[in-house]
Amino acid sequence: MKLLQDILYKIKLLEVHGSTNVPVAALCIDSRKVEKNSAFIAIKGTVVDGHTFIAAAINKGAAIIVAEELPENKVEGVTYIKVANSHEAAAYMAHYFYDCPSEKLKLVGVTGTNGKTTVATLLYKLFSALGYSCGLISTVENKIQQTVIPASLTTPDAISLNALLHKMVNENCTHAFMECSSIAIHQHRITGLNFTGALFTNITLDHLDYHKTFEAYLKAKKSFFDNLPETAFAISNKDDKRGEVMLQNTKAKKYYYSLKTSADFKGKILDDSLTGLQMQINNTDVHFRLIGEFNAYNLLAVYGAAVCLHEEPTKVLTTLSGLTGAEGRFDYIISNKNVIGIVDYAHTPDALENVLTTLKKLKKDYQNIITVVGCGGDRDKTKRPLMAQAACDYSNKAIFTSDNPRTENPMDILADMEKGLTTAAKKKYIVIPDRRNAIEQAVKLANEGDIILIAGKGHEKYQEINGVKHPFDDKEVLNHFFNL
């Protein structure tokens, strides 16, 4: 148990009412989880404002209230602290409450629109195979060594995140690899963490429902690198047009990877097929089990990080060559009729185009591509017609269906997808709102050797409809209709 005064470092305190020489049993941002002598931090969320639950938190035993706005009527014996930013306060308090766990690990963060999960997962698998005890924080799952902890967010809230890192330290982990989403960066969930290194994959349209403008989205990603210490390394994709901009203000040591120009970590694709990638990396030839140009970039990023972490390059490449990617990222299934099924998380226009252009380039002339795709509800609407157009442009047949409609009417989402399609595209798609029926129809349409891409949900084991998560697994459904 910590004293409040010992976990308030680096926080801009505007007002303090009561004693800071009091014990803190737990940190909470959810009033329902408050216990006796907790510190309740009131955070203004996108949907719920924690300030409305201050009284409820006190009734449950909170002895400390940290908020941007304090109530007029204060309860005797409760310490109230007014701060400039509750998100930031939660991050710093959690950092110190859990004994600064990120300072006891080699922590590497990965940000970018696409590739975060694959890069973080490959780093975890690579360093585990090299003999280290590792932790993973990703969209698919969190892991402490081999123990799986289900993930609900790409990047957990600051308190959960520091608690997880603390547990990794206690379990003797030496390395931790984590995804850093733009929303998490903007909401200070990673503020106060000590990063050994950071990676940038790429940036395209995403999360504009939250950030509102692409410039704000870019700024959020860039701030991750702007705040790195001099002791850290920063690795960026030189082939992305904003790859160098991302690192222009960082104090960390800069490195770049590229397939197209000179770089610290230079790659060249020698052969790309449905059985894997043959690449040359810094003049060494190596075969990987992953496929596609987008994975060539992911592999370069992972290789670069390993070298920056002082691992022997040849050993890194040898170990990396035997690894598979993350669940729901180009997951490969072959039916007993030799139809190829691929389940992928691609949920942005750029990610979908990357997967489809790779398939189009690798397939034989007789093979058709059938794409099943939808768009999430209550999210950026501008990408819906772009996703639909990409599916039609690079597929022989597209089936538009429901993704996670959340609180939106699925038919409205599908109507948005159909807006602005070219005349050629309109001849290539059909609409089947029920996702299970859409996958079944794709299997019925496929001939021997054809490729079915089920895009958008990847590793997810549910479909969210009107606030309820119904069990649904694209891979399981595809296996069923493949009679596997």
Side-chain angles (χ1 to χ4, degrees), residues 270-281:
L270 303 175
D271 185 48
D272 189 6
S273 71
L274 286 171
T275 60
L277 271 167
Q278 185 73 24
M279 288 182 69
Q280 187 177 84
I281 294 182

Side-chain angles (χ1 to χ4, degrees), residues 109-330:
V110 186
T111 196
T113 305
N114 302 312
K116 294 188 297 297
T117 302
T118 296
V119 171
T121 302
L122 282 173
L123 280 167
Y124 165 81
K125 288 184 175 183
L126 171 63
F127 277 79
S128 296
L130 290 171
Y132 296 99
S133 293
C134 301
L136 172 67
I137 300 170
S138 79
T139 306
V140 174
E141 62 187 3
N142 300 322
K143 295 185 83 169
I144 299 176
Q145 295 182 32
Q146 297 307 311
T147 302
V148 176
I149 300 163
S152 58
L153 295 171
T154 298
T155 312
D157 68 79
I159 296 170
S160 301
L161 179 54
N162 278 276
L164 190 56
L165 292 170
H166 178 68
K167 195 169 182 183
M168 289 177 187
V169 171
N170 287 345
E171 296 288 331
N172 300 313
C173 289
T174 56
H175 296 69
F177 305 99
M178 66 177 288
E179 294 184 51
C180 299
S181 70
S182 60
I183 295 172
I185 295 167
H186 184 257
Q187 292 181 352
H188 292 282
R189 292 185 216 162
I190 63 170
T191 293
L193 297 185
N194 182 63
F195 284 93
T196 303
L199 303 173
F200 170 70
T201 58
N202 50 66
I203 192 162
T204 56
L205 289 175
D206 200 16
H207 297 307
L208 295 195
D209 53 306
Y210 177 88
H211 294 289
K212 306 306 179 189
T213 67
F214 182 75
E215 289 69 28
Y217 176 49
L218 178 68
K219 186 179 178 182
K221 297 278 190 194
K222 186 176 178 298
S223 69
F224 177 35
F225 297 93
D226 292 348
N227 292 318
L228 290 173
E230 292 179 8
T231 53
F233 63 82
I235 304 175
S236 183
N237 180 355
K238 200 172 184 180
D239 294 345
D240 188 282
K241 61 183 179 181
R242 293 175 177 85
E244 292 182 84
V245 171
M246 200 60 58
L247 303 192
Q248 67 183 11
N249 299 119
T250 189
K251 295 185 286 291
K253 189 166 184 184
K254 302 177 188 179
Y255 298 90
Y256 293 94
Y257 61 95
S258 171
L259 288 174
K260 299 175 182 175
T261 186
S262 59
D264 302 284
F265 309 111
K266 178 71 171 73
K268 181 181 180 182
I269 297 175
L270 303 175
D271 185 48
D272 189 6
S273 71
L274 286 171
T275 60
L277 271 167
Q278 185 73 24
M279 288 182 69
Q280 187 177 84
I281 294 182
N282 283 10
N283 299 314
T284 299
D285 289 3
V286 60
H287 182 270
F288 298 106
R289 295 173 69 179
L290 282 72
I291 72 172
E293 184 181 83
F294 57 95
N295 272 322
Y297 280 108
N298 293 335
L299 289 160
L300 278 173
V302 171
Y303 171 75
V307 171
C308 287
L309 287 166
H310 310 296
E311 296 303 312
E312 200 278 313
T314 302
K315 191 174 182 182
V316 168
L317 291 176
T318 301
T319 308
L320 201 51
S321 68
L323 300 181
T324 54
E327 183 189 3
R329 271 60 177 177
F330 226 90

Side-chain angles (χ1 to χ4, degrees), residues 48 84 89 92 105 120 125 144 164 173 185 211 230-231 260 321 344 356 367 370 374 385 389 396 410 437 469:
V48 177
Y92 282 124
L105 294 158
K125 288 184 175 183
I144 299 176
L164 190 56
C173 289
I185 295 167
H211 294 289
E230 292 179 8
T231 53
K260 299 175 182 175
S321 68
D344 194 88
L356 285 170
Q367 293 177 296
I370 302 166
Q389 188 67 49
N396 299 91
N437 291 344
K469 289 186 175 180

